[in-house]
C-alpha cells in the first residue's frame, strides 16, 4: 500500500516538474523577444545585427532615445494619444455599460431585436470608401471626434458585458432592491457597477489598448499634424530615419553610421509606443483571473 502511494506521488512529482519546465519554456518564448528589444534599443546595432547581443546590452548608447525625444512632434503625439485614450475609453464605458445592462434585463421586451441590429454590424459594413464619405459628410474628418464618436461601442465587448450582467447579477437581488424603492438607474449605479469591477477593468483595458494603438483612423481621416496621435508620429520618425539610412548606404562609414542609429531608433520606437500600456497591466492584474472568464460560464 505504501509502495503504491509512493509510486503515485512520484508520478505527480514528475508531472509537476514537466509542467513547470513546459511553462518556463513558454514564458521564455514570450518574454525574451520583448527583453531583446529593450536591450537592443540601447546597444550597438552592429553587435545586435551580428548576433553578439543576446542577454546583456553591449556598447550602451542612448542616441536612439535622444533622437526620438528631441523631436517636438513626439510630445504633441503623446498629448493627443493620452487624450484620445482616456476620453475615448470614458465615452466607451459610458455607452457600453448602460446599454449592456438594459439589454440584459428580461423585462425589456425589444432587447432581442435591438441586439440583433447590434450583431449585424459585426458582420456587415459599408467598406472603407463609403465610411470615409460618411465621416466627411458628418464633418468628423480632421477633428478629434473621429477617434471618439464612430467607435463609441464595440459590439463584442457589449455582448460580453450583457452576458456578465445576465449571469452574475441574481434576479432576486434586483427584486429585493425594487421592494426597497430602488429604480433601475439607482440599481445600476449603486449595485450593478460596484459588483462589476472585474468587468469594468477588463473591458476598460481592452478599450484603452485599442485607443492607444489606433493607427488606421489617423492615417485615413487626419491630415492636420497637430491632431496626429503618437503612433503616426513614431511611424514618421521611423520612416524618415530609414530613408536617411538608405540614402547614406552608399557613403561608406557614413552609411554604416546611419544604419546603426536607424536600427537603434527602430527598437526605441517600439519601447516608447508600448511601455506606457505595459506599465498599466500590473495594477489591474488581480481582476484578470475573474475577468478572463467573463461570460463563459453561466451561473
Amino acid at each position: 500500500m505504501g509502495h503504491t502511494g509512493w509510486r503515485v506521488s512520484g508520478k505527480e512529482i514528475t508531472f509537476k516538474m514537466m509542467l513547470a519546465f513546459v511553462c518556463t519554456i513558454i514564458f521564455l518564448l514570450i518574454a525574451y523577444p520583448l527583453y531583446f528589444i529593450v536591450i537592443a534599443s540601447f546597444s550597438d546595432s552592429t553587435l545586435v545585427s551580428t548576433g553578439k547581443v543576446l542577454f546583456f546590452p553591449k556598447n550602451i548608447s542612448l542616441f536612439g532615445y535622444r533622437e526620438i525625444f528631441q523631436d517636438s512632434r513626439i510630445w504633441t503625439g503623446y498629448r493627443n494619444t493620452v487624450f484620445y485614450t482616456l476620453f475615448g475609453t470614458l465615452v466607451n464605458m459610458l455607452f457600453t455599460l448602460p446599454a449592456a445592462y438594459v439589454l440584459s434585463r428580461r423585462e425589456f421586451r425589444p432587447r432581442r431585436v435591438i441586439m440583433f441590429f447590434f450583431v449585424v454590424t459585426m458582420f456587415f459594413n459599408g467598406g472603407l470608401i463609403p465610411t470615409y464619405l460618411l465621416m466627411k459628410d458628418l464633418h468628423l474628418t480632421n477633428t478629434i471626434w473621429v477617434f471618439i464618436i464612430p467607435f463609441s461601442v464595440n459590439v463584442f465587448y457589449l455582448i460580453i458585458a450583457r452576458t456578465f450582467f445576465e449571469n452574475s447579477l441574481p434576479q432576486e437581488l434586483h427584486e429585493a432592491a425594487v421592494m426597497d424603492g430602488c429604480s433601475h438607474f439607482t440599481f445600476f449605479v449603486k449595485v450593478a457597477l460596484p459588483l462589476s469591477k472585474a468587468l469594468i477593468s477588463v473591458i476598460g483595458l481592452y478599450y484603452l489598448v485599442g485607443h492607444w494603438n489606433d493607427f488606421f483612423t489617423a492615417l485615413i481621416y487626419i491630415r492636420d499634424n497637430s491632431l496626429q496621435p503618437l503612433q503616426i508620429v513614431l511611424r514618421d520618425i521611423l520612416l524618415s530615419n530609414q530613408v536617411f539610412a538608405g540614402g547614406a548606404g552608399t557613403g561608406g562609414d557614413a552609411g554604416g553610421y546611419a544604419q546603426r542609429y536607424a536600427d537603434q531608433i527602430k527598437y526605441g520606437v517600439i519601447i516608447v509606443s508600448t511601455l506606457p500600456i505595459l506599465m498599466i497591466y500590473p495594477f489591474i492584474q488581480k481582476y484578470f483571473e475573474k475577468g478572463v472568464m467573463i461570460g463563459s460560464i453561466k451561473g
Side-chain angles (χ1 to χ4, degrees):
M1 185 72 177
H3 182 65
T4 304
W6 179 86
R7 288 180 60 187
V8 172
S9 62
K11 290 180 180 179
E12 288 180 354
I13 293 173
T14 303
F15 173 75
K16 289 180 179 179
M17 290 178 63
M18 291 180 62
L19 184 63
F21 176 75
V22 171
C23 290
T24 302
I25 295 299
I26 294 174
F27 171 77
L28 292 176
L29 290 174
I30 296 172
Y32 178 74
L34 180 61
Y35 172 73
F36 176 78
I37 290 172
V38 172
I39 61 175
S41 66
F42 50 84
S43 296
D44 189 322
S45 293
T46 303
L47 299 177
V48 174
S49 60
T50 55
K52 295 180 180 178
V53 175
L54 294 176
F55 300 105
F56 302 100
K58 294 182 179 179
N59 290 1
I60 293 176
S61 169
L62 297 177
F63 178 85
Y65 287 106
R66 284 199 300 269
E67 285 296 302
I68 293 172
F69 287 110
Q70 281 176 0
D71 194 321
S72 60
R73 294 176 299 169
I74 199 164
W75 301 112
T76 302
Y78 255 118
R79 182 197 66 199
N80 292 338
T81 292
V82 168
F83 174 77
Y84 300 149
T85 300
L86 296 181
F87 185 64
T89 302
L90 176 63
V91 171
N92 291 143
M93 301 304 281
L94 288 176
F95 278 91
T96 302
L97 293 177
Y101 173 76
V102 171
L103 293 171
S104 71
R105 304 310 307 174
R106 291 180 173 84
E107 58 267 31
F108 182 58
R109 292 185 178 180
R111 69 190 188 111
R112 295 189 183 279
V113 176
I114 295 175
M115 199 65 219
F116 171 77
F117 287 117
F118 271 115
V119 173
V120 165
T121 64
M122 297 178 68
F123 302 100
F124 303 99
N125 62 70
L128 179 59
I129 295 176
T131 302
Y132 179 83
L133 294 175
L134 174 63
M135 297 299 174
K136 188 176 181 181
D137 290 341
L138 293 174
H139 305 290
L140 291 177
T141 56
N142 262 333
T143 67
I144 62 173
W145 303 111
V146 76
F147 295 96
I148 311 297
I149 295 176
F151 310 103
S152 296
V153 175
N154 182 300
V155 178
F156 180 69
Y157 302 155
L158 175 67
I159 294 172
I160 292 175
R162 186 203 64 168
T163 305
F164 176 85
F165 286 134
E166 280 183 344
N167 297 335
S168 300
L169 298 179
Q171 183 65 23
E172 293 78 11
L173 186 63
H174 180 256
E175 291 173 357
V178 170
M179 290 180 65
D180 291 334
C182 185
S183 65
H184 274 294
F185 180 79
T186 306
F187 179 79
F188 172 70
V189 173
K190 293 188 176 181
V191 180
L193 290 184
L195 293 176
S196 308
K197 290 181 180 178
L199 172 76
I200 295 171
S201 299
V202 174
I203 291 183
L205 180 68
Y206 290 160
Y207 274 129
L208 196 78
V209 173
H211 283 293
W212 184 271
N213 291 330
D214 190 4
F215 168 82
F216 189 73
T217 301
L219 190 66
I220 299 299
Y221 302 115
I222 300 295
R223 292 293 176 265
D224 187 348
N225 289 332
S226 65
L227 297 177
Q228 295 287 14
L230 178 65
Q231 306 300 335
I232 293 291
V233 173
L234 293 176
R235 168 183 174 269
D236 291 343
I237 294 174
L238 187 60
L239 289 178
S240 63
N241 278 278
Q242 286 179 342
V243 170
F244 168 64
T250 58
D253 292 340
Y257 176 87
Q259 183 61 49
R260 179 188 309 172
Y261 290 112
D263 288 344
Q264 242 187 19
I265 290 172
K266 176 180 67 178
Y267 290 118
V269 160
I270 297 173
I271 299 301
V272 168
S273 62
T274 57
L275 188 61
I277 290 296
L278 290 176
M279 292 173 63
I280 295 175
Y281 273 98
F283 295 100
I284 59 175
Q285 183 181 2
K286 62 181 179 180
Y287 295 110
F288 263 73
E289 185 177 347
K290 295 178 181 178
V292 76
M293 298 298 290
I294 286 174
S296 63
I297 300 175
K298 186 173 182 178

